C-alpha cells in the first residue's frame, strides 16, 4: 500500500479546501467592486456555503455506506465544479451558486479525509495522520490571504485565484483512482429520532449552545475586517492580505498551544481559560481606532479562540463516546447553522453600528458562552457516568 500517495492526496485536498474557505474575507473589498454590490453584503456569499453544512449527517452516512474513497471522489467533483463556476462567474448570483457546490465539497471532504486515513493507519499512528492534515490547514490559514490578494493584485480576475485550486482538485481526483477503497457498511442509516433524543440531554444542548455563541467573534469580526480597514484606513488589497496573515499567526499559535497543553491542563479547564482570554482581548478593540492595536488584539483573539476551540472540540468528542459520530455530526451541523445566521445578521449589524458594534456583539456572545461553560462541569459529568462511586 502506497502510504506516501495516500498522505499526499489527503494533504492536498485539505490544503485546497481550507484555502478556498479563507479567501473570501480578505477579498471582500475586491468582490464588492468586482460584482458591484454593497461591501457589507459580501459576507452573504458564505450563506449558501454554510447552509450545505446541514447535510453533514447525510454525507457521513454516504461515506460509511458506499465507501470513503467514493465519498471523497464525489465531493471533489462538487468542489472542482464549484471552483470553476466561482472562478468564471461574472455576476454575484453565479458566484454564490459556485460557492454552494464548493461548500458541499468542503463539508464532505473535511469530514471524510481523516476518516479515510483512519481506515488504513494503525490507531497508535493516527495522531501523526491528524497532524499532517492539521499542518495543511495551518499552511492554508497562513498563506491563503497572501495568495489570493497577490493573484488579484497581479491579474485582477477571479480566475487567477480559483483555477489553480481547480487544477489541484483534478490532480487529487486522479490520484484517488490509485488508492484503495474502504469497507462499506450497507446497513448504516440516518436516525433523526436518535438526533432529537440526544438534543434533549442538558449537557448535549448546552455544549452545542456554546458553539453558537463562541463563533460570533470569528464570523463577524474576521469577515468584516477587510471591508473595515479598506474603508477607514485606505489599505490596498495586498496590504489587507498581509494583515489577515498576521491575524492567522494567532490561529497557528493557538492550535500549537492546545496541542502541547490540552492533556496537561485539561480539556475543559483549557477551554475556559482560552475562551476567557478571547473575551479579555476583545474589550480593548472597542476603544481603539489604531489599526495596529486592532490587528494586534485580533491576533490575540485568534490565539484564544483556536486554542480554546481545539481543546473544546476534543472535549466534546467524549461527551457521547458510544455515539460519538452522531453527536459530532450535530456539532458540525450547529457550526454550519451558526455561520449561516451570523452571515445573514452581520450586514445588518455592520450597517447599523459599524465594526464597533460587531465587537460589542462578540463580547456579549462570548460572555454568554463562558457563562454556560462555567455553569456546568462536562468532565465531572463524564467521570461520574464512568465511575459513579467517586461522586
Amino acid at each position: 500500500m502506497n502510504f506516501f500517495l495516500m498522505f499526499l492526496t489527503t494533504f492536498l485536498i485539505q490544503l485546497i479546501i481550507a484555502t478556498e474557505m479563507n479567501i473570501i474575507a480578505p477579498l471582500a473589498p475586491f468582490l464588492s467592486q468586482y460584482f458591484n454590490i454593497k461591501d457589507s453584503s459580501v459576507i452573504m456569499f458564505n450563506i449558501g456555503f454554510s447552509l450545505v453544512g446541514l447535510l453533514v449527517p447525510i454525507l457521513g452516512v454516504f461515506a460509511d455506506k458506499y465507501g470513503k474513497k467514493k465519498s471523497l471522489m464525489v465531493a471533489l467533483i462538487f468542489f472542482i465544479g464549484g471552483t470553476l463556476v466561482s472562478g468564471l462567474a461574472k455576476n454575484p448570483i453565479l458566484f454564490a451558486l459556485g460557492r454552494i457546490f464548493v461548500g458541499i465539497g468542503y463539508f464532505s471532504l473535511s469530514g471524510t479525509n481523516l476518516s479515510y486515513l483512519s481506515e488504513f493507519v494503525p490507531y497508535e499512528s493516527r495522531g501523526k495522520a491528524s497532524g499532517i492534515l492539521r499542518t495543511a490547514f495551518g499552511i492554508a490559514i497562513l498563506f491563503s490571504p497572501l495568495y489570493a490578494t497577490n493573484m488579484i493584485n497581479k491579474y485582477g480576475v477571479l480566475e487567477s485565484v480559483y483555477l489553480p485550486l481547480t487544477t489541484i482538485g483534478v490532480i487529487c481526483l486522479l490520484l484517488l483512482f490509485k488508492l484503495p477503497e474502504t469497507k462499506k457498511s450497507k446497513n448504516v442509516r440516518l436516525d433523526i429520532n436518535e438526533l432529537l433524543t440526544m438534543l434533549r440531554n442538558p449537557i448535549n444542548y448546552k455544549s452545542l449552545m456554546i458553539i453558537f455563541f463562541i463563533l460570533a467573534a470569528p464570523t463577524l469580526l474576521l469577515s468584516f475586517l477587510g471591508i473595515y480597514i479598506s474603508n477607514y484606513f485606505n489599505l490596498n488589497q495586498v496590504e489587507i492580505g498581509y494583515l489577515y496573515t498576521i491575524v492567522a499567526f494567532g490561529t497557528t499559535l493557538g492550535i500549537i498551544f492546545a496541542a502541547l497543553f490540552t492533556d496537561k491542563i485539561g480539556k475543559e479547564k483549557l477551554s475556559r481559560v482560552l475562551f476567557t482570554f478571547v473575551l479579555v482581548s476583545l474589550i480593548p478593540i472597542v476603544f481603539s481606532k489604531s489599526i495596529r492595536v486592532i490587528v494586534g488584539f485580533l491576533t490575540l483573539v485568534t490565539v484564544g479562540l483556536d486554542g480554546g476551540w481545539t481543546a473544546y472540540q476534543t472535549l466534546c468528542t467524549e461527551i457521547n463516546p458510544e455515539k460519538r459520530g452522531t453527536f459530532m455530526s450535530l456539532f458540525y451541523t450547529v457550526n454550519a447553522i451558526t455561520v449561516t445566521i451570523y452571515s445573514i445578521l452581520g450586514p445588518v449589524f455592520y450597517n447599523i453600528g459599524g465594526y464597533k458594534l460587531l465587537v460589542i456583539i462578540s463580547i456579549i456572545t462570548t460572555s454568554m458562552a463562558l457563562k454556560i461553560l462555567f455553569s456546568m462541569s462536562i468532565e465531572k459529568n463524564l467521570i461520574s457516568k464512568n465511575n459513579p462511586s467517586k461522586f
Side-chain angles (χ1 to χ4, degrees):
M1 188 180 298
N2 194 333
F3 281 103
F4 173 78
L5 189 62
M6 190 177 292
F7 281 112
L8 174 65
T9 304
T10 50
F11 179 91
L12 290 175
I13 289 173
Q14 185 65 55
L15 185 68
I16 58 175
I17 63 175
T19 295
E20 198 287 334
M21 183 187 70
N22 287 283
I23 62 177
I24 298 300
L27 289 181
F30 168 78
L31 292 172
S32 173
Q33 297 176 2
Y34 193 74
F35 292 121
N36 193 26
I37 59 176
K38 197 170 184 178
D39 54 8
S40 61
S41 300
V42 171
I43 190 178
M44 299 187 78
F45 285 134
N46 290 331
I47 294 175
F49 177 93
S50 58
L51 265 177
V52 295
L54 301 179
L55 301 175
V56 167
I58 299 173
L59 297 174
V61 169
F62 180 91
D64 289 334
K65 193 167 187 176
Y66 298 103
K68 294 177 177 64
K69 171 185 167 180
K70 184 175 291 184
S71 177
L72 287 173
M73 295 178 77
V74 172
L76 258 180
I77 291 171
F78 274 106
F79 181 83
I80 291 166
T83 55
L84 270 175
V85 172
S86 296
L88 300 174
K90 300 303 178 185
N91 66 74
I93 301 298
L94 198 58
F95 183 76
L97 178 63
R99 291 217 77 229
I100 291 175
F101 289 121
V102 169
I104 295 172
Y106 172 82
F107 282 102
S108 182
L109 291 166
S110 59
T112 309
N113 233 0
L114 182 57
S115 297
Y116 176 76
L117 286 178
S118 297
E119 294 283 339
F120 303 100
V121 177
Y123 179 78
E124 59 272 12
S125 300
R126 286 178 195 167
K128 296 178 182 178
S130 178
I132 289 173
L133 295 183
R134 199 64 180 170
T135 300
F137 180 82
I139 292 172
I141 290 286
L142 276 175
F143 295 107
S144 56
L146 292 179
Y147 159 73
T149 53
N150 277 282
M151 294 297 276
I152 288 298
N153 186 60
K154 185 174 182 179
Y155 298 105
V157 290
L158 281 173
E159 292 101 305
S160 64
V161 176
Y162 274 94
L163 293 188
L165 300 180
T166 305
T167 303
I168 298 175
V170 172
I171 292 172
C172 291
L173 185 61
L174 295 175
L175 291 176
L176 280 170
F177 280 102
K178 295 182 174 294
L179 297 180
E181 180 59 278
T182 60
K183 293 180 181 179
K184 302 173 185 179
S185 304
K186 294 295 183 181
N187 296 325
V188 173
R189 64 187 180 87
L190 181 64
D191 192 337
I192 300 297
N193 290 328
E194 186 177 26
L195 295 177
L196 294 176
T197 300
M198 192 170 284
L199 280 173
R200 295 190 185 101
N201 184 295
I203 292 291
N204 291 347
Y205 72 72
K206 287 181 180 180
S207 301
L208 297 175
M209 285 175 64
I210 291 170
I211 299 172
F212 179 80
F213 290 124
I214 206 68
L215 284 180
T219 306
L220 294 175
L221 300 185
L222 297 182
S223 295
F224 284 94
L225 178 63
I227 295 168
Y228 173 64
I229 59 182
S230 174
N231 290 341
Y232 290 92
F233 299 98
N234 296 317
L235 299 185
N236 62 41
Q237 195 65 72
V238 174
E239 290 170 329
I240 291 172
Y242 278 111
L243 289 185
Y244 266 95
T245 298
I246 292 171
V247 173
F249 272 110
T251 294
T252 305
L253 290 174
I255 292 171
I256 293 172
F257 184 85
L260 293 175
F261 295 104
T262 294
D263 292 331
K264 295 179 180 179
I265 297 176
K267 301 174 186 66
E268 189 168 39
K269 184 177 181 180
L270 187 61
S271 300
R272 290 173 173 176
V273 170
L274 290 177
F275 286 156
T276 301
F277 184 71
V278 171
L279 178 62
V280 173
S281 300
L282 283 169
I283 295 172
I285 302 176
V286 178
F287 306 100
S288 178
K289 294 183 179 179
S290 166
I291 185 62
R292 293 182 179 180
V293 172
I294 292 172
V295 170
F297 277 102
L298 276 178
T299 303
L300 295 179
V301 167
T302 58
V303 171
L305 183 71
D306 287 285
W309 182 264
T310 301
Y312 184 69
Q313 181 176 265
T314 306
L315 174 66
C316 287
T317 61
E318 297 302 322
I319 292 178
N320 293 275
E322 70 285 357
K323 297 178 180 178
R324 183 178 288 114
T326 303
F327 183 71
M328 292 312 291
S329 71
L330 280 175
F331 186 96
Y332 288 110
T333 299
V334 172
N335 188 330
I337 292 172
T338 303
V339 174
T340 302
I341 292 175
Y342 288 132
S343 295
I344 294 172
L345 296 178
V348 178
F349 295 144
Y350 186 78
N351 291 332
I352 292 174
Y355 202 72
K356 183 176 182 178
L357 178 59
L358 299 185
V359 179
I360 293 172
I361 292 171
S362 298
I363 290 173
I364 294 171
T365 56
T366 303
S367 299
M368 294 173 72
L370 284 169
K371 183 177 180 181
I372 298 172
L373 187 57
F374 276 95
S375 70
M376 60 179 184
S377 178
I378 298 175
E379 288 183 338
K380 185 176 181 179
N381 181 70
L382 295 177
I383 294 172
S384 179
K385 285 197 299 184
N386 295 327
N387 303 282
S389 61
K390 289 187 178 183
F391 294 92

